[in-house]
Amino acid sequence: MSNRNKRYLKTTDINKAVVPPRAVLMIMMLGTALLVYCKYIFGNSYWIFYDIGSDTWNEYFPALTMLAEKIRSGDLSTWCMNWGTGVDLANNQSIICDPFNIPLVILYLVGGRWAMAYGLIYVHMAKCLLTGYITFLWLSEFKLDWNGRVIGAYVCAFNGFLVLWGQHYFFATACVFMIFDIYLIEKTIRDQNKSVWMIISIAMTLATSLYTAFPIALACVAYLVLRLLSLVNVWNTKRIIRKLATIIIDVIVAVLISGIISLPAYYQLTEVSSRIGGQMSVPLFFDLATLGGIFTRFFSNNLLGIANNYIGPLNYYELSQLFFSCLGPSMLIIFFVEKIHRDEKRWLYLILAIIAGMMMLMPLGGAICNKFVTTATRYSYVYIPLMAYAIAWFFSNFRRLHKDTRIIVFCTTVVSAIMLCFIYIKHVRANTQDRSILDVYLTVIVICLLTFAVMIISDYKEKGKNRFIASAVFCIIIFSVIADSAITSLIRLNITSDSTYTKNVEDTSQILRKIRTDDKELIRIEKTYDDSFYNDALLENYLGISYYNTTFSKYVQSFMTEVWPKTVNVGGNPGYVTFNADAENGGMASLFGIRYVLSKAPVSDCYSQIENLADGIGAYKNENSMGLGRIYKNVMRQSDFAELTEVQRQKALETSLVLQDFDYELNRMNTVETQTAVKVFKGKNSSHMMIKAESSTPGYIFVPVTWDRGWRAKVNGHQVKLYRADIGFQAIKIQSGKNIVKLDYKQPLQREGIIATISGLLCIIVLLYLKRKRGISS
């Protein structure tokens, strides 16, 4: 390699540190993590929230418990019977396939659910530390001072998105994989022998979550293109094209390797899930109040005392998290001004500045980076590389800043401080719960901004003063990160070890075990009191119908909206369904096979009490429930059903099965078989069910389990058609007499995924062989 190439590609360390920089970074990050998360490490609080980040309470922790329980019981099937009315686990890929779940599952197997709950914060801290450490490794590939690399990595380890949104859909994992992918892309650009590691990293990114992989892919493509463009004067065109082609081939191999997980997940996302198709129009996001809220996110990521105030899709919690210390915006401005003003590739930085500015200050970023959800603000972790490099570059080039840059930074910091005060007073102060803490913190932010402006505008040509100013800025950034992250963490509303909910879970475990022992059939159980999770069935391993998941089956959501809207969450979002909103509706409870109800108050006459538990919880039996299945003799077209009112629809379902297509020769008797006619049993795992039914005439067996193309049905050993019934569930046609029905689930695209993964692994073996052969020949 020529000297010119080495000047651009060789890693150098301008300033030699007495203490190894990695050790300095790890000490800083570990100390900060202990301060920020002391409430969870040393107290009795779990990393499980019930404020506006309540997904950990209602979904993630119950889902982790379910996953661990399936592993403990040996049920390794991909279908989950107790997640709502049943769902393929690939539908919730972001939660289930996170590799950081492994230590949590081990904790569950060793110490139970609450041991796993205590472990959540340590896993989150590990993600923060990994994000910072990998960022440091990536920055070390460039000609940057050690202190710049350390502070750039440190700020990104505790950026606003990771600290506030790290638990949400396990986005902290996305932060780790994104910077790791970019780091390995950089290593591959420099050394082709690193491409295997890049392939593995990208494959893991896709296998972990398609939801987060999409923004990561956009960030990686942008980085690769800009990085190769930066080498135009270093490499010839042929070499750049060859390098790009090689990386594209590696990415294709990575996609193939991930196929065993990503292909079934893709099917669930596009064919079953309700996630796609709910985007909001881009003009809706261009709102002055929204832009003002986004602006505050540059300087602070905490919830400012309104942790339980969630109003609309663009509320203060959902706004883009852009906090990379309170001085991050000024350093980003410095970086772009200097590069555009002085760098020979100013056109490249001008393009990057325009793209970054548009995506930060206007929610176009959401429209581009998030195609899976209504709220378009869950993408700002893609800024980690940009902010890390800008901050590291600032400290590495502190002495060489242009005079014009100092004036610009001074103006922007002063204006930013004034705007921050204005926005705080006008939009936030009236809603705060603890103004004393916030007033102190606001004062600290303003002081930091003004101090930094004074430092920049001052003359710092002398070496000693340079060191003092750099050290002062260094300390301000650390203080800003610790203070803001601590407030973010401490004001969250979370579950504790002595909370009412944890006690209720333990109190109901005994009766649930008794019910499962006495009733061998597949039956459903529900709760009617409020202090419970939507997904209690996951947490306590029983079958229910309530669910908290916006990616659930669009067919089941259509049924709940059209037929049983009272169970749909306030606001009409069918992604959240709770039985206790209409627990008195015995007819619908019977339709879904809910045979037992746990309640703290008397329920309707259709339930009879069978046992009293602690704290006033009673167990009641639904005498009208026929279990998880019933035989219908009467059928109705789905188009005719749609013309009925809500009350008429519920009444019709008592005697009629709703189908899109059916056998007109079927004898219509307007009757439903008795309770003893149908018994549903679990097979060897959750992907198998067996039904024993006896009927005097032909009919349909209705099973209130989520319809999915992966289900197959056999009646008395013969393959039969499985119908989508009652909008989102299953039905099987049977003949008169005794019938044994077997339902088996095979994940759609699973075979294709296995073939793709095997093909990808074979490609890696071939690539390794060719590289080894090339190395020997050279």
Side-chain angles (χ1 to χ4, degrees):
M1 185 180 291
S2 66
N3 291 332
R4 189 183 184 190
N5 288 356
K6 291 180 179 180
R7 187 180 68 207
Y8 280 87
L9 293 178
K10 184 178 179 181
T11 301
T12 60
D13 197 0
I14 300 174
N15 295 335
K16 300 296 181 180
V18 177
V19 181
R22 296 183 187 184
V24 174
L25 174 63
M26 292 305 295
I27 292 171
M28 289 171 57
M29 291 193 300
L30 188 58
T32 300
L34 292 175
L35 289 172
V36 169
Y37 301 118
C38 60
K39 172 181 176 181
Y40 308 95
I41 298 172
F42 305 110
N44 66 340
S45 297
Y46 298 126
W47 186 248
I48 304 173
F49 306 113
Y50 63 91
D51 55 18
I52 58 179
S54 61
D55 288 31
T56 45
W57 177 29
N58 284 305
E59 184 176 8
Y60 309 145
F61 181 61
L64 287 174
T65 304
M66 174 275 300
L67 178 63
E69 183 60 30
K70 282 176 73 72
I71 293 173
R72 187 196 64 78
S73 63
D75 183 359
L76 302 181
S77 61
T78 60
W79 188 264
C80 178
M81 285 293 294
N82 50 344
W83 201 327
T85 55
V87 69
D88 189 318
L89 294 181
N91 194 291
N92 301 278
Q93 181 194 16
S94 301
I95 304 172
I96 302 302
C97 299
D98 189 338
F100 289 94
N101 289 343
I102 295 174
L104 294 173
V105 170
I106 294 173
L107 282 174
Y108 179 90
L109 298 177
V110 174
R113 65 168 68 92
W114 302 120
M116 182 174 70
Y118 269 121
L120 288 171
I121 185 59
Y122 295 99
V123 171
H124 175 76
M125 287 170 56
K127 294 177 184 179
C128 293
L129 299 182
L130 275 173
T131 300
Y133 183 73
I134 298 171
T135 302
F136 177 84
L137 294 179
W138 171 67
L139 292 173
S140 298
E141 297 296 316
F142 303 97
K143 299 169 66 174
L144 299 167
D145 290 1
W146 75 268
N147 57 344
R149 287 182 279 131
V150 167
I151 195 64
Y154 171 80
V155 169
C156 289
F158 298 95
N159 69 82
F161 185 91
L162 202 155
V163 172
L164 183 60
W165 271 76
Q167 95 290 346
H168 199 102
Y169 284 97
F170 294 85
F171 275 129
T173 303
C175 295
V176 175
F177 276 118
M178 188 206 61
I179 193 63
F180 194 45
D181 290 342
I182 286 181
Y183 167 61
L184 290 174
I185 289 173
E186 181 63 34
K187 295 291 287 187
T188 302
I189 291 175
R190 298 166 182 270
D191 182 2
Q192 188 57 39
N193 291 327
K194 304 295 183 181
S195 63
V196 173
W197 291 106
M198 183 189 71
I199 291 172
I200 295 173
S201 176
I202 294 175
M204 290 182 66
T205 302
L206 292 168
T208 299
S209 173
L210 294 179
Y211 178 37
T212 58
F214 179 66
I216 291 174
L218 294 178
C220 289
V221 169
Y223 178 81
L224 176 62
V225 171
L226 293 173
R227 190 70 182 90
L228 291 178
L229 287 175
S230 70
L231 298 173
V232 168
N233 295 332
V234 181
W235 293 350
N236 57 45
T237 304
K238 183 178 179 181
R239 184 177 181 183
I240 291 176
I241 294 175
R242 187 169 63 246
K243 176 65 70 174
L244 179 62
T246 302
I247 292 178
I248 291 175
I249 293 173
D250 291 342
V251 171
I252 293 173
V253 173
V255 172
L256 289 174
I257 292 175
S258 71
I260 192 170
I261 296 177
S262 61
L263 278 180
Y266 176 78
Y267 165 79
Q268 290 293 322
L269 183 66
T270 56
E271 299 296 327
V272 179
S273 171
S274 62
R275 174 71 69 177
I276 291 183
Q279 299 91 344
M280 300 172 70
S281 60
V282 173
L284 182 62
F285 297 115
F286 290 86
D287 184 287
L288 292 179
T290 298
L291 296 180
I294 292 174
F295 184 79
T296 65
R297 282 297 187 241
F298 283 107
F299 305 96
S300 172
N301 69 271
N302 71 67
L303 295 177
L304 296 174
I306 53 173
N308 60 347
N309 183 10
Y310 190 103
I311 303 174
L314 289 178
N315 54 78
Y316 199 67
Y317 175 68
E318 295 275 4
L319 291 177
S320 300
Q321 304 299 317
L322 301 168
F323 176 75
F324 291 85
S325 85
C326 65
L327 302 182
S330 297
M331 293 187 177
L332 187 64
I333 292 172
I334 293 173
F335 171 73
F336 279 126
V337 169
E338 284 290 295
K339 287 293 185 180
I340 293 172
H341 183 68
R342 303 177 66 179
D343 198 281
E344 59 183 11
K345 293 187 177 64
R346 57 176 58 89
W347 58 271
L348 192 64
Y349 292 99
L350 181 61
I351 294 173
L352 180 60
I354 293 173
I355 295 174
M358 290 179 64
M359 292 179 66
M360 283 182 178
L361 297 178
M362 295 183 289
L364 277 178
I368 296 170
C369 293
N370 202 330
K371 295 296 183 182
F372 304 112
V373 70
T374 301
T375 47
T377 57
R378 302 172 181 177
Y379 65 93
S380 47
Y381 54 91
V382 300
Y383 295 117
I384 289 177
L386 174 61
M387 296 301 300
Y389 189 87
I391 292 171
W393 179 91
F394 169 82
F395 280 95
S396 300
N397 295 272
F398 195 80
R399 302 176 184 89
R400 296 186 291 274
L401 292 180
H402 195 270
K403 289 183 178 180
D404 295 340
T405 305
R406 304 179 213 167
I407 298 174
I408 293 173
V409 173
F410 174 76
C411 295
T412 56
T413 49
V414 171
V415 171
S416 298
I418 295 172
M419 288 297 297
L420 181 61
C421 293
F422 174 77
I423 293 172
Y424 172 80
I425 294 170
K426 184 175 180 180
H427 296 294
V428 180
R429 186 178 176 85
N431 297 319
T432 57
Q433 296 175 346
D434 194 344
R435 296 184 178 180
S436 58
I437 294 177
L438 300 175
D439 289 339
V440 171
Y441 184 62
L442 178 66
T443 304
V444 170
I445 291 179
V446 174
I447 291 174
C448 289
L449 291 170
L450 294 177
T451 303
F452 180 59
V454 171
M455 290 177 182
I456 292 297
I457 204 68
S458 64
D459 184 11
Y460 51 81
K461 293 181 179 180
E462 297 180 10
K463 189 174 182 180
K465 187 176 292 186
N466 280 330
R467 290 181 177 177
F468 170 77
I469 294 174
S471 299
V473 175
F474 199 95
C475 292
I476 290 173
I477 290 177
I478 294 175
F479 175 81
S480 169
V481 169
I482 294 175
D484 201 82
S485 299
I487 292 177
T488 302
S489 175
L490 294 175
I491 68 170
R492 300 300 296 271
L493 308 176
N494 52 275
I495 301 294
T496 60
S497 58
D498 57 356
S499 64
T500 303
Y501 180 75
T502 55
K503 191 174 187 305
N504 285 341
V505 169
E506 300 304 320
D507 289 342
T508 56
S509 297
Q510 181 179 355
I511 185 61
L512 290 172
R513 283 194 297 267
K514 184 178 185 302
I515 291 173
R516 284 192 291 264
T517 302
D518 295 343
D519 217 321
K520 300 298 183 182
E521 295 180 51
L522 274 179
I523 48 93
R524 287 198 166 111
I525 306 167
E526 267 297 346
K527 296 180 178 179
T528 66
Y529 46 90
D530 292 332
D531 48 347
S532 59
F533 289 168
Y534 280 85
N535 281 324
D536 268 5
L538 292 177
L539 189 66
E540 300 181 62
N541 193 27
Y542 65 86
L543 271 63
I545 65 166
S546 301
Y547 62 83
Y548 181 98
N549 191 338
T550 52
T551 65
F552 203 67
S553 168
K554 57 188 176 184
Y555 305 114
V556 175
Q557 289 191 8
S558 295
F559 176 89
M560 292 299 183
T561 304
E562 297 172 20
V563 181
W564 205 4
K566 288 184 179 179
T567 62
V568 176
N569 185 40
V570 177
N573 187 343
Y576 313 100
V577 166
T578 174
F579 170 78
N580 65 1
D582 194 24
E584 301 294 317
N585 194 332
M588 293 302 294
S590 299
L591 177 70
F592 279 94
I594 299 172
R595 187 171 291 177
Y596 299 95
V597 167
L598 302 182
S599 179
K600 289 186 176 182
V603 290
S604 64
D605 294 338
C606 65
Y607 301 99
S608 59
Q609 188 167 0
I610 59 174
E611 190 163 343
N612 280 318
L613 304 178
D615 292 335
I617 300 176
Y620 299 82
K621 186 175 182 179
N622 182 3
E623 300 296 344
N624 298 322
S625 175
M626 299 180 183
L628 205 67
R630 56 168 70 178
I631 297 177
Y632 282 94
K633 301 295 184 62
N634 187 47
V635 290
M636 176 183 290
R637 287 182 181 276
Q638 188 164 317
S639 57
D640 296 335
F641 182 76
E643 297 177 359
L644 303 178
T645 65
E646 175 191 332
V647 176
Q648 290 173 333
R649 289 171 182 173
Q650 294 187 13
K651 189 66 176 177
L653 292 177
E654 294 180 4
T655 57
S656 301
L657 184 70
V658 179
L659 296 174
Q660 287 183 315
D661 56 332
F662 54 86
D663 187 353
Y664 285 98
E665 296 180 1
L666 184 66
N667 182 28
R668 301 186 178 189
M669 298 177 61
N670 286 320
T671 60
V672 183
E673 289 287 353
T674 61
Q675 182 177 349
T676 58
V678 177
K679 292 183 180 293
V680 183
F681 301 92
K682 181 180 178 181
K684 58 184 179 180
N685 56 43
S686 297
S687 292
H688 304 277
M689 288 187 289
M690 184 181 70
I691 304 174
K692 294 182 179 180
E694 185 174 353
S695 176
S696 58
T697 61
Y700 286 94
I701 295 180
F702 170 70
V703 183
V705 173
T706 306
W707 183 86
D708 193 291
R709 185 160 60 87
W711 282 102
R712 297 289 184 271
K714 287 185 178 181
V715 177
N716 297 327
H718 300 287
Q719 193 83 36
V720 297
K721 180 179 179 179
L722 187 67
Y723 293 87
R724 179 157 67 88
D726 289 3
I727 303 175
F729 305 101
Q730 305 178 16
I732 310 101
K733 184 180 177 182
I734 60 171
Q735 301 302 320
S736 59
K738 293 183 178 180
N739 294 269
I740 296 180
V741 181
K742 291 186 178 180
L743 292 171
D744 301 293
Y745 181 76
K746 184 177 180 182
Q747 200 173 46
L749 298 185
Q750 185 182 63
R751 184 177 67 177
E752 293 83 349
I754 293 173
I755 294 173
T757 297
I758 294 174
S759 302
L761 293 175
L762 290 175
C763 289
I764 278 193
I765 294 173
V766 172
L767 288 174
L768 289 173
Y769 172 76
L770 293 176
K771 289 177 181 179
R772 184 172 181 272
K773 185 177 180 180
R774 190 185 303 118
I776 293 174
S777 62
S778 61

